[in-house]
Amino acid sequence: MATKIVEVHPGIYEIFLPLPMRPTIINVYLLDCHGAWTLVDTGMNSPESITALEEAVAEVGIKIEDLDAVVATHHHIDHFGASGEIRRRSHATTHIHRLEAERAGRMIEFGKMSPHDRPESRAFFVRHGFPIDQLAPIGMRPAWMGTSMYGPVTQPDRFIDDRDVIKIGDRELEVIWTPGHSPGHNVLYLRKEKVMIAGDHLLPKITPHVGIYPDAEGTNPLGDFLNSQLKVQNFEVDLVLPAHGGVYHDHRHRANQLIEHHRYREAEMLDLTRKAPQTAFEIAQQVFGGEERPIFHVMAATFETLAHLELACFEGRARRSERGERTVFQAL
């Protein structure tokens, strides 16, 4: 049987839980707080993931019921989807940022409908050039949405915020608010150990999705994400524990790589608009490829493109204008 748990630092265990999508594994982290046990992130609420978690914690001699605290980096299904089941079984004190708890509740509501059913979402898609009228509602959300696989705590025991210190046993977890991938994303810093539990903020091989969605117009999530990459570089870190991919050491190098990647991608997008203004959907089709892809992936590419274009507008490298009922962007 494949190993499900590895001690990556004294008393800190990396647990590998299965996902039915890509990436196919999420790393969650079990902390021995010497008199208390803390789980950072939960995996999704699937039988396979819960069984893997049970088997992993059993290797260090505990059960899910023995958990004292759950701390979430953010609300996404692979990070917080099993929090309801885990709290039901363990009565663990559950911590998450207020913005993430709100979005968890919203995701449950959205699971009952499609973008076609919400006038404000439909208008958003049309405005940014997405051919919503040509697409079937079934493909416009992930397969797990609206199922029991997402069973989050929507009324957490404690809201966490930037610079909070969560004291559990003899451990102190410093909260570093890192908005971008999601508005209330946090990484957790163990100052004494010089360990950073990074969630999706600092992945070693892949870039986390940063997009603008129908309920987030007027925001600048990519600007937030890049600022958050600068912010984490102020901390001394010997070991980075990401949610996907292997543990690694040089967090400043990786943060700068992510900044450079997005700056390059923005320049690539703006180059396409120099001859004529285009919608976010039109640009996304050229940058991410127009070949046959799942509709949900096409949506994500459009939202990510929009985040780059809005950042360029915020920072004065592009302008937006109206072309009929469409919003178009052009480099300055």
Side-chain angles (χ1 to χ4, degrees):
M1 183 172 63
T3 301
K4 293 185 175 66
I5 186 167
V6 174
E7 190 172 20
V8 291
H9 190 277
I12 301 178
Y13 301 89
E14 182 179 27
I15 297 174
F16 311 102
L17 300 179
L19 298 173
M21 62 270 200
R22 299 178 71 179
T24 58
I25 290 173
I26 181 171
N27 313 323
V28 304
Y29 294 93
L30 178 69
L31 281 59
D32 182 354
C33 301
H34 307 104
W37 291 92
T38 298
L39 183 67
V40 178
D41 289 340
T42 69
M44 61 194 301
N45 191 39
S46 67
E48 296 81 8
S49 185
I50 295 293
T51 297
L53 181 60
E54 289 171 335
E55 292 174 355
V57 300
E59 290 191 36
V60 296
I62 68 166
K63 305 185 296 293
I64 287 177
E65 287 75 8
D66 297 321
L67 293 171
D68 298 282
V70 170
V71 184
T73 59
H74 60 300
H75 77 281
H76 291 164
I77 183 170
D78 49 337
H79 296 260
F80 201 51
S83 56
E85 173 68 6
I86 290 170
R87 188 171 72 169
R88 183 188 69 78
R89 291 175 56 174
S90 66
H91 305 291
T93 302
T94 303
H95 307 67
I96 194 170
H97 195 282
R98 184 181 299 274
L99 292 175
E100 298 301 291
E102 292 171 359
R103 274 157 180 75
R106 203 177 303 169
M107 289 289 283
I108 292 171
E109 288 304 309
F110 285 177
K112 301 171 185 175
M113 59 184 80
S114 84
H116 292 70
D117 301 323
R118 304 193 301 274
E120 68 283 1
S121 294
R122 189 185 188 88
F124 174 87
F125 280 91
V126 170
R127 187 158 56 253
H128 294 294
F130 196 90
I132 188 170
D133 292 324
Q134 301 170 27
L135 302 172
I138 189 104
M140 296 190 69
R141 59 183 193 175
W144 52 262
M145 205 168 183
T147 74
S148 61
M149 287 191 284
Y150 191 51
V153 169
T154 55
Q155 306 249 328
D157 301 292
R158 180 179 171 187
F159 292 120
I160 56 176
D161 208 344
D162 196 30
R163 296 183 288 186
D164 283 352
V165 179
I166 306 170
K167 297 182 178 179
I168 306 167
D170 65 355
R171 303 268 191 193
E172 291 189 348
L173 284 67
E174 298 183 28
V175 177
I176 307 170
W177 181 41
T178 50
H181 176 59
S182 67
H185 190 290
N186 291 284
V187 306
L188 302 169
Y189 179 56
L190 286 73
R191 185 173 296 270
K192 183 171 65 176
E193 298 87 344
K194 293 186 178 178
V195 169
M196 182 173 281
I197 304 176
D200 281 346
H201 185 61
L202 279 169
L203 303 178
K205 298 293 185 184
I206 59 178
T207 56
H209 173 70
V210 180
I212 294 179
Y213 286 76
D215 61 344
E217 281 199 284
T219 64
N220 183 18
L222 185 55
D224 293 339
F225 180 76
L226 299 181
N227 287 333
S228 296
Q229 294 299 340
L230 296 172
K231 182 178 184 178
V232 295
Q233 296 185 53
N234 293 321
F235 296 83
E236 294 301 319
V237 176
D238 288 341
L239 186 65
V240 184
L241 307 181
H244 307 284
V247 303
Y248 64 101
H249 302 284
D250 192 342
H251 76 303
R252 294 188 178 103
H253 175 68
R254 183 56 182 153
N256 286 326
Q257 281 184 327
L258 289 164
I259 293 169
E260 290 172 10
H261 163 80
H262 284 291
R263 292 299 184 188
Y264 175 85
R265 180 53 61 84
E266 180 203 293
E268 182 184 16
M269 292 173 177
L270 292 183
D271 278 347
L272 295 170
T273 71
R274 295 196 185 278
K275 290 183 179 178
Q278 299 184 53
T279 64
F281 174 77
E282 289 169 332
I283 297 166
Q285 288 292 91
Q286 297 167 77
V287 171
F288 291 96
E291 71 276 3
E292 200 64 34
R293 289 175 294 153
I295 297 168
F296 184 71
H297 292 177
V298 177
M299 286 171 52
T302 302
F303 298 157
E304 188 161 321
T305 299
L306 183 59
H308 285 84
L309 297 170
E310 289 292 354
L311 174 61
C313 290
F314 272 105
E315 296 185 346
R317 291 184 297 280
R319 65 171 172 262
R320 73 180 73 78
S321 57
E322 304 307 312
R323 187 175 69 194
E325 60 180 359
R326 305 283 174 86
T327 298
V328 293
F329 297 86
Q330 189 165 28
L332 292 174

